[in-house]
Amino acid sequence: MKVSNMRRCVSKFTADWHMCFRNLNFFLVGFVGSSSVSRNFVAERSFSSHAAPKTYASSSAKLADDQTTDNSVSDMLVDSFGRLHTYLRISLTERCNLRCQYCMPSEGVELTPSPQLLSRSEIIRLGNLFVSSGVNKIRLTGGEPTIRKDIEDICLQLSSLKGLKTLAITTNGITLARKLPKLKDCGLTSLNISLDTLVPAKFEFLTRRKGLERVMESIDAAIALGYNPVKVNCVVMRGFNDDEICDFVELTREKPINVRFIEFMPFDGNVWNVKKLVPYAEVMDRVVKRFPDIKRLQDHPTETAKNFKIDGHCGSVSFITSMTEHFCAGCNRLRLLADGNFKVCLFGPSEVSLRDPIRSGADDEELREIIGAAVKRKKAAHAGMFDIAKTANRPMIHIGG
C-alpha cells in the first residue's frame, strides 16, 4: 500500500508540474507575442489610435478551454520547449477536384495508392488516441476532403469522441453546398473555404478548372446553416490577386465572413518566388487606406492569424504571416497525412509513419511512444523564409491544407 500511495503521489506531482510548466510557457508566449506588436510595421502604427490594445488579459481563461480539467493531458503532446499541442489536422485524401497552381505542380503529382492510405477505422483509432491524450480540435483537410466518400461517417465518429470540442474542415467549396447539411448533422462545427479570386477568369486560370459560382454558393449555404464565422482563406500573390484585397474585405461588410489573407508559402512544385510574395505589411497598408476604422482584436497565444474588425462590418479580417512574422512560439498544431505519416511542422521535412506500426500490430502505448518522440523532436521554429524555399518538402496536396 505504501508503494502504491507513493506512486500516486509521484504521478500527481508530475502531472501538476507539467501543468504549471505549460501555463508558464503560454504566459511567456503571450508576453512575447504582445511585445512583438509594438515592433510591427508602419501600416499598423498608422491606425494605432483606433487599434485595440494587444494584451492577453483573458488568456488564462481561454487556455483553460484548451486543457482538460482533470490533468489527463498526456506528456505525449508536449514538446521539449513546453508547447502543448491540442490541435490535429487530418488529411483524408490526396485527391482534389481542382488543380490550384500553388498547391499542385503543373505536371501533377504521383498519388499514394489507395491501399496505402489510412482507412476510416485507422483514422478513427488515431483520432481517439490523440483526443484521449488532450487534443480538443481536429481539422479535416486534403486534397479535397469532401470528395472522400465516407466523410460523413468519419465526421460522425470523430465528433462523438469524448473531449473533442471542435471538428472543422478546410475545403475548396466546389461540392460543399450539397454536402454541408449532412456534414453539420454529423457534427461539423467549423469550416474554412479556400478562395483566392472573385474573378471567374482568374479562378479558372489559378485552379485550372471552372467553379467560382459553386464556391460562392457554398459560402452562402454555410451562412444560411448558421456557421459564424464562415472563414474564407485567400492566398495573396503579387500580380495575380493583390488588386482584389479590398474586394475581399468588402465580403465582410454584410455577412459573417472572416476573410483570412495568407502569405504565399513555398512547397515542392509550386514555383515559389519571393517576388510573388505580398507581405503582411503591404496587404495591411492597402486595407487601412480603404478601411481606416479597422481595429486589432485580442488573439489567443496559439492563434496563427492576426485578427481585425472594421467598424460597421458584420464579419472580420485576418492575416496569416507565415513568411514575414512566424508564430512558431505558440504553435499547437500537429498533422496526420493521408498516407498515415505524422508531421509536427508544416515546413519541416521530417515525418514518421503511424500507419506502418498500426498494421504491424502496435498497441496504443507503442503508438503514443512514437508520437511523443516525434513531438519532442520538434524544433523551436521553422527555418527562415529563404531557407524554407530551399528545403525539400512535399507538395501541399500531399501534406494537407
Side-chain angles (χ1 to χ4, degrees):
M1 289 295 292
K2 292 182 179 180
V3 173
S4 178
N5 289 337
M6 182 178 295
R7 284 176 177 170
R8 280 197 294 270
C9 289
V10 171
S11 177
K12 186 178 187 305
F13 173 81
T14 302
D16 290 344
W17 185 88
H18 276 303
M19 188 65 70
C20 290
F21 183 75
R22 283 196 296 272
N23 288 340
L24 175 62
N25 176 71
F26 276 119
F27 170 78
L28 293 174
V29 168
F31 179 79
V32 172
S34 179
S35 301
S36 66
V37 171
S38 65
R39 300 192 298 272
N40 269 352
F41 53 85
V42 174
E44 187 163 346
R45 289 200 300 270
S46 71
F47 64 92
S48 60
S49 60
H50 300 284
K54 182 71 167 69
T55 62
Y56 295 109
S58 62
S59 291
S60 59
K62 291 183 179 180
L63 286 171
D65 292 338
D66 285 345
Q67 298 171 350
T68 55
T69 57
D70 60 355
N71 287 343
S72 63
V73 175
S74 171
D75 183 63
M76 174 187 94
L77 299 177
V78 182
D79 68 15
S80 58
F81 302 95
R83 291 173 296 198
L84 171 63
H85 297 78
T86 58
Y87 182 1
L88 176 66
R89 302 173 71 99
I90 302 177
S91 176
L92 297 184
T93 179
E94 296 174 352
R95 297 185 180 277
C96 187
N97 43 13
L98 295 180
R99 296 291 182 270
C100 296
Q101 295 187 32
Y102 59 76
C103 183
M104 182 180 290
S106 57
E107 68 275 13
V109 296
E110 183 177 349
L111 300 177
T112 304
S114 295
Q116 296 179 28
L117 299 177
L118 289 179
S119 66
R120 181 175 64 200
S121 62
E122 289 169 337
I123 291 172
I124 302 305
R125 178 183 174 186
L126 288 170
N128 182 58
L129 183 65
F130 278 97
V131 172
S132 64
S133 299
V135 163
N136 56 42
K137 179 176 181 179
I138 289 178
R139 178 175 298 278
L140 304 177
T141 70
E144 172 48 40
T146 62
I147 68 174
R148 180 152 173 159
K149 294 180 179 179
D150 57 357
I151 186 172
E152 290 90 354
D153 292 332
I154 290 174
C155 283
L156 184 61
Q157 293 185 59
L158 288 177
S159 66
S160 300
L161 295 177
K162 183 180 179 181
L164 188 69
K165 297 176 180 178
T166 302
L167 180 61
I169 193 172
T170 295
T171 169
N172 61 30
I174 294 294
T175 65
L176 184 66
R178 173 170 53 87
K179 296 187 176 184
L180 190 54
K182 180 66 179 297
L183 289 174
K184 185 178 182 183
D185 289 343
C186 290
L188 187 70
T189 59
S190 177
L191 54 86
N192 291 29
I193 299 175
S194 300
L195 179 63
D196 304 307
T197 178
L198 302 172
V199 180
K202 284 186 182 180
F203 183 93
E204 186 173 352
F205 171 78
L206 179 68
T207 67
R208 305 181 179 105
R209 298 288 187 276
K210 294 182 179 181
L212 175 59
E213 184 177 342
R214 296 168 71 181
V215 179
M216 300 305 293
E217 289 175 357
S218 291
I219 293 173
D220 289 337
I223 293 172
L225 285 169
Y227 286 94
N228 185 0
V230 175
K231 296 182 179 181
V232 174
N233 292 345
C234 176
V235 178
V236 183
M237 292 163 281
R238 191 179 305 282
F240 175 73
N241 62 352
D242 54 324
D243 60 334
E244 298 184 63
I245 291 170
C246 291
D247 295 333
F248 271 94
V249 176
E250 282 290 348
L251 294 177
T252 72
R253 186 181 294 276
E254 304 292 340
K255 298 178 179 180
I257 292 174
N258 171 222
V259 170
R260 296 151 59 86
F261 294 111
I262 302 173
E263 290 181 336
F264 184 37
M265 297 176 280
F267 294 97
D268 280 8
N270 72 351
V271 197
W272 184 87
N273 188 305
V274 70
K275 294 180 180 179
K276 297 179 183 178
L277 172 68
V278 185
Y280 158 49
E282 184 178 336
V283 179
M284 174 58 81
D285 186 53
R286 298 192 196 188
V287 173
V288 170
K289 287 178 180 178
R290 175 83 168 270
F291 305 95
D293 292 329
I294 186 170
K295 299 177 181 178
R296 182 74 183 260
L297 300 175
Q298 177 175 288
D299 302 328
H300 190 282
T302 62
E303 178 66 77
T304 61
K306 295 174 172 64
N307 300 296
F308 295 79
K309 182 80 174 177
I310 300 172
D311 284 351
H313 282 223
C314 180
S316 57
V317 179
S318 302
F319 303 84
I320 299 177
T321 62
S322 305
M323 295 291 95
T324 61
E325 294 185 24
H326 71 71
F327 30 80
C328 301
C331 182
N332 69 337
R333 289 151 178 78
L334 301 170
R335 291 174 179 267
L336 180 61
L337 279 55
D339 64 1
N341 275 14
F342 179 58
K343 195 174 178 72
V344 297
C345 176
L346 173 61
F347 296 111
S350 178
E351 299 178 4
V352 60
S353 178
L354 299 182
R355 178 202 65 202
D356 293 347
I358 285 177
R359 295 183 182 181
S360 296
D363 60 24
D364 286 355
E365 190 57 37
E366 290 172 306
L367 291 174
R368 285 192 176 94
E369 290 179 4
I370 295 170
I371 294 167
V375 171
K376 294 296 185 294
R377 291 193 296 269
K378 185 171 182 176
K379 296 181 179 180
H382 63 62
M385 177 167 59
F386 295 103
D387 288 331
I388 289 174
K390 298 175 185 176
T391 303
N393 201 359
R394 292 214 250 176
M396 192 61 177
I397 196 165
H398 275 170
I399 298 172

